[in-house]
Amino acid sequence: MPEGIDLFFRITLAIFLEAAPFLLLGSFLGAVLEFFVSPERMERLLPKNRAAEVLAGLLGGMVLPTCECGVVPIAKRLLHKGATPAFAVTYMLAAPVINPVVIASTYVAFQGNWTMVWGRCLLVALTAGCMGLFLGRHPAIALLLPEARNPEPACGCCHHHHESCGHEHETERPRLVGVLLHAGDEFLGMVKFLLLGSLAAAAFKTWLPPHVVTWFMENVWLSVLGMMLLAVLLSVCSEADAFVAAGFSQFPMAAQLSFLALGPMFDLKLLAMFTSVFRRPVVLGLSLLPFIMVFCLSLVWALVESWL
């Protein structure tokens, strides 16, 4: 057996098992949105101007918390239900960090250091907000792949929504069964991309030489870039990544923040899931723009930190 292959499979399984429950939760929440939130209600709930939609997206994770493992199906379902791209994209990028669970885990991992907590939220909010404003100029149909533009059957048994499908849905039991069937279909459609991302992340984590990490530590520019690449390659869940970042205490704070900010917005498993939902130019934007923004913001943080 080749060297490291056992470790490779162990890491793959660990990443997959860590992320799969959150993907399942995201699929379930997406199905609940499909059945219990009508497009008309979604339209009434959301603000009417783009800036307010972005702000609502930034704070959405405080109401509907999730990690990046399950946020893509929720964002797709929001778009299906009539949410604007400004809200859905901002929520998709911000909710994995700006939510009570991740804020608490970051606080604990860095032993009560509120600078790391608020710094992480700030970098993510600025990046997610800009992405929401940028992609919010386009209609939802321009963002989604053709096969992802139309929602699946809402009742789980026909090709029409339950209001007009001709079946009886007077009790809660058929609706609950439909939610579970819908969530299962969503999960099975996304899980193969999660597995692909887990395999890629495990390969880099297993065979990346340790001296490469040490080399990046010697320069703040390289340390920020190195930690960002590590965040993409390791693909750690946002509810646990703060403990990984805290283990790199020898790196500058700006580099640790870049790891904490980029990973929940873009990593290998997210890239795989983006490609199953969004058109190629959108995937390219969701991959490059957060990377560039986090890199620049982290360097600005390092510069300000050196002045203080």
Side-chain angles (χ1 to χ4, degrees), residues 16-32 66-74 179-191 194 273:
F16 181 82
L17 291 180
E18 179 186 49
F22 297 102
L23 178 59
L24 182 59
L25 176 61
S27 300
F28 178 76
L29 291 175
V32 170
T66 183
C67 77
E68 78 278 8
C69 307
V71 77
V72 176
I74 296 178
V179 168
L180 295 177
L181 290 172
H182 194 84
D185 289 341
E186 187 78 57
F187 177 77
L188 292 176
M190 300 290 288
V191 73
L194 173 60
M273 287 188 278

Side-chain angles (χ1 to χ4, degrees), residues 111-286:
Q111 302 179 353
N113 186 344
W114 280 107
T115 302
M116 293 298 298
V117 175
W118 297 122
R120 180 182 198 184
C121 290
L122 178 63
L123 264 62
V124 168
L126 290 173
T127 304
C130 289
M131 289 299 299
L133 289 172
F134 176 69
L135 292 178
R137 301 175 302 166
H138 307 283
I141 195 172
L143 304 185
L144 298 172
L145 288 170
E147 58 269 27
R149 288 174 185 170
N150 297 314
E152 293 80 359
C155 69
C157 60
C158 64
H159 297 288
H160 303 281
H161 289 275
H162 59 267
E163 289 86 353
S164 59
C165 67
H167 295 107
E168 294 296 330
H169 293 280
E170 295 179 358
T171 65
E172 291 301 315
R173 181 174 176 80
R175 181 175 289 190
L176 178 59
V177 171
V179 168
L180 295 177
L181 290 172
H182 194 84
D185 289 341
E186 187 78 57
F187 177 77
L188 292 176
M190 300 290 288
V191 73
K192 57 182 176 291
F193 298 100
L194 173 60
L195 179 59
L196 178 63
S198 300
L199 288 167
F204 283 103
K205 190 171 183 178
T206 302
W207 290 294
L208 186 68
H211 68 270
V212 174
V213 178
T214 305
W215 179 63
F216 276 97
M217 289 169 48
E218 299 174 354
N219 181 284
V220 65
W221 290 64
L222 290 179
S223 65
V224 168
L225 182 61
M227 288 295 282
M228 290 173 62
L229 291 173
L230 203 62
V232 173
L233 300 179
L234 295 185
S235 303
V236 184
C237 174
S238 64
E239 295 185 349
D241 62 355
F243 297 93
V244 176
F248 290 87
S249 56
Q250 66 273 38
F251 277 70
M253 181 183 292
Q256 290 176 300
L257 283 174
S258 69
F259 179 94
L260 293 173
L262 182 64
M265 293 189 288
F266 174 69
D267 61 21
L268 288 179
K269 64 179 182 293
L270 275 173
L271 176 61
M273 287 188 278
F274 286 161
T275 59
S276 72
V277 174
F278 298 107
R279 294 176 61 242
R280 186 175 297 177
V282 179
V283 174
L284 189 62
L286 289 170

Side-chain angles (χ1 to χ4, degrees), residues 63-122:
V63 179
L64 189 63
T66 183
C67 77
E68 78 278 8
C69 307
V71 77
V72 176
I74 296 178
K76 183 176 78 169
R77 191 59 50 197
L78 286 168
L79 290 170
H80 286 161
K81 300 305 290 186
T84 63
F87 172 79
V89 170
T90 304
Y91 171 83
M92 182 178 69
L93 297 178
V97 168
I98 306 177
N99 74 66
V101 177
V102 173
I103 288 174
S105 70
T106 306
Y107 178 83
V108 171
F110 286 93
Q111 302 179 353
N113 186 344
W114 280 107
T115 302
M116 293 298 298
V117 175
W118 297 122
R120 180 182 198 184
C121 290
L122 178 63

Side-chain angles (χ1 to χ4, degrees), residues 288-306:
L288 292 180
L289 295 180
F291 195 96
I292 294 169
M293 284 199 66
V294 170
F295 180 71
C296 294
L297 290 171
S298 298
L299 292 181
V300 170
W301 183 284
L303 185 62
V304 172
E305 189 181 14
S306 67

